[in-house]
Amino acid sequence: MRKLIFGMNVTLDGYIAAIGDDIGWSGGEGPDSSPSAELFQWWYDQMRASDLSLYGRKLWETMSSHWPTGDQQPNATPAEIEFARLWRDMPKVVFSSTIDKVDWNTRLVTGDAVAEIARLRAEDGGPMDIGGATLAGAAMRAGLIDEYALVTVPVLVGGGTPFFTALDSWVNLNLVETRTFPGGVVLTRYETRR
């Protein structure tokens, strides 16, 4: 059985995007909101360790608007070049009923997302990461998420898209890692108690 990991940058008050889908706060330490090299490397390592990335439509649109050509940008750093190449090659599944085409080693699922995620999770293989609040929320409510990785940025946005969804019952977690990055960004990783 594969492990399903939900990880994203999150505000101190629990949002992955501010009102209006604004993620300008999410980078970290600089006025340009770019993450520290150390944090960027951590995200790269997480993607490299994953066998499959699962995306909801909004996150897919955000990622696919930049990373297919991220290595060709004039100011791309060596780390961004590596990330763009890895992102293009990474097997991906996008869950959406409103788009009809995906590229870059990606498969589109328009049907029952929870059933497909459960099927993928039941297969043999390495970890899968899931991103996007709506998609991850559905997997969370179905009890499919094995690990949560919150990269908490010290900012309050007051509203927007929450990291966690409303649940029908409690989910008990075990803390497995904490780490501080430059700019006061804090990683906390939790595994679901089964």
Side-chain angles (χ1 to χ4, degrees):
M1 181 183 296
R2 293 172 146 170
K3 178 189 246 186
L4 182 60
I5 303 166
F6 176 36
M8 293 189 79
N9 290 349
V10 61
T11 65
L12 187 60
D13 52 350
Y15 297 97
I16 61 171
I19 294 170
D21 293 330
D22 181 359
I23 58 170
W25 56 267
S26 67
E29 64 201 42
D32 64 349
S33 291
S34 59
S36 69
E38 186 180 347
L39 178 56
F40 192 87
Q41 184 65 47
W42 185 85
W43 279 117
Y44 174 83
D45 292 342
Q46 295 310 296
M47 188 169 59
R48 192 179 63 213
S50 182
D51 276 1
L52 182 64
S53 290
L54 310 179
Y55 288 101
R57 180 192 52 83
K58 283 185 182 180
L59 185 58
W60 166 254
E61 288 174 345
T62 298
M63 297 294 281
S64 67
S65 71
H66 177 75
W67 289 112
T69 59
D71 56 337
Q72 300 164 23
Q73 301 305 311
N75 297 327
T77 66
E80 291 169 333
I81 291 169
E82 284 182 48
F83 189 93
R85 291 175 181 163
L86 178 62
W87 186 88
R88 277 195 310 265
D89 293 343
M90 166 67 74
K92 296 172 283 298
V93 178
V94 173
F95 295 83
S96 175
S97 60
T98 60
I99 58 176
D100 57 7
K101 183 181 176 211
V102 292
D103 291 312
W104 310 290
N105 201 21
T106 306
R107 178 171 66 89
L108 179 63
V109 173
T110 59
D112 185 343
V114 170
E116 179 63 7
I117 294 166
R119 186 190 72 73
L120 290 167
R121 186 172 168 266
E123 292 178 346
D124 290 334
M128 300 184 302
D129 60 80
I130 186 169
T134 303
L135 181 64
M140 202 180 300
R141 284 186 301 280
L144 297 174
I145 297 181
D146 301 294
E147 182 179 309
Y148 295 88
L150 289 83
V151 176
T152 305
V153 178
V155 62
L156 303 172
V157 296
T161 306
F163 181 88
F164 291 105
T165 190
L167 297 172
D168 296 327
S169 60
W170 294 3
V171 176
N172 292 311
L173 305 171
N174 290 322
L175 178 65
V176 294
E177 180 183 6
T178 60
R179 180 174 171 185
T180 303
F181 293 96
V185 175
V186 177
L187 162 72
T188 50
R189 282 191 325 112
Y190 301 89
E191 288 183 347
T192 305
R193 286 190 214 158
R194 301 234 186 248

